[in-house]
Amino acid sequence: EVQLVESGGGLVQPGGSLRLSCAASGFSFSNFWMSWVRRAPGKGLEWVANINQDGSDRYYVDSVKGRFTISRDNAKNSLYLQMNSLRAEDTAIYYCARDRQLRFDYWGQGTLVTVSS
Amino acid sequence: EIVLTQSPGTLSLSPGERATLSCRASQSVSSNYLAWYQQKPGQAPRLLIYGASSRATGIPDRFSGSGSGTDFTLTISRLEPEDFAVYYCQQYGSSYRGYTFGQGTKLEIK
């Protein structure tokens, strides 16, 4: 059974940093692209970033370029999102998702990030 | 960047009725690149339809997708109580190697 479990969310002040993790199991993690998708309170889904199988290709939504970094450790079956210079508008539930390069077929339950003073 | 606009924003229907949800793109989208998701409160999104009309694994056949170009539709033939949720369309932008979602349609019990 495919499982994706996010962790690392919490309350952080504006300008602060946070690192999210996603532990994957039930599939061959190193064979798939992976993505982060977020949902801000009262808003819809927004794709944040993705990364290819060996980490050599990474793409980001414009609003996080230069502030967020996606990475992975295939030996640990883990995906990460390093978030720096956080803003109030980054407040959201962050989901890890398996990226089939046209769709997301499995999602984690999400981790909440709150940026507030 | 292609913008997806979903309508209506909220759809109020009764169990057993037919639901028709619309997703309109600001530019033509390849059918291969269009997907639909369902999200219930407190849960992760679930993939329903990909490639505009292919059902994902385990999705009941009362869910169907159609459309091409700029206009796509998700149809639920006979609503079950568990179908009341928020639905999103999503497209992949090959030019900028990223994804965009529509703003969502909330399907609520009338």
Side-chain angles (χ1 to χ4, degrees), chain A residues 33 35 37 39 43-47 50 57 59-62 95 99-110, chain B residues 1 32-35 37 39 42-47 50-51 86 88 90-92 96-103:
Chain A
W33 283 72
S35 272
V37 179
R39 182 176 181 183
K43 296 198 173 182
L45 297 170
E46 180 183 42
W47 170 77
N50 68 355
D57 272 347
Y59 299 93
Y60 301 90
V61 68
D62 284 348
Y95 300 97
D99 184 335
R100 299 304 303 273
Q101 276 288 278
L102 293 178
R103 63 191 184 270
F104 308 107
D105 61 351
Y106 289 95
W107 299 66
Q109 288 300 309
Chain B
E1 180 181 312
N32 290 337
Y33 293 177
L34 199 287
Y37 300 85
Q39 188 173 31
Q43 296 187 17
R46 178 171 72 146
L47 176 66
Y50 64 94
V86 179
Y88 296 94
Q90 166 251 303
Q91 70 91 28
Y92 173 72
Y96 56 90
R97 307 296 294 273
Y99 301 86
T100 53
F101 291 88
Q103 82 280 16

Side-chain angles (χ1 to χ4, degrees), chain B residues 63-84:
Chain B
F63 290 90
S64 63
S66 63
S68 63
T70 60
D71 290 301
F72 297 88
T73 300
L74 175 70
T75 301
I76 310 171
S77 58
R78 285 177 52 234
L79 286 166
E80 298 286 342
E82 62 267 27
D83 297 337
F84 293 91

Side-chain angles (χ1 to χ4, degrees), chain A residues 3-7 19-25 27-30 32-36 51-55 70-81 96:
Chain A
Q3 284 199 319
L4 298 168
V5 180
E6 302 91 339
S7 60
R19 188 194 196 207
L20 306 183
S21 299
C22 171
S25 60
F27 67 102
S28 184
F29 179 74
S30 61
F32 291 88
W33 283 72
M34 296 295 295
S35 272
W36 289 98
I51 187 168
N52 72 340
Q53 290 89 335
D54 65 4
I70 189 172
S71 62
R72 65 191 296 161
D73 185 336
N74 288 339
K76 295 183 177 180
N77 288 341
S78 293
L79 177 72
Y80 306 101
L81 187 67
C96 161

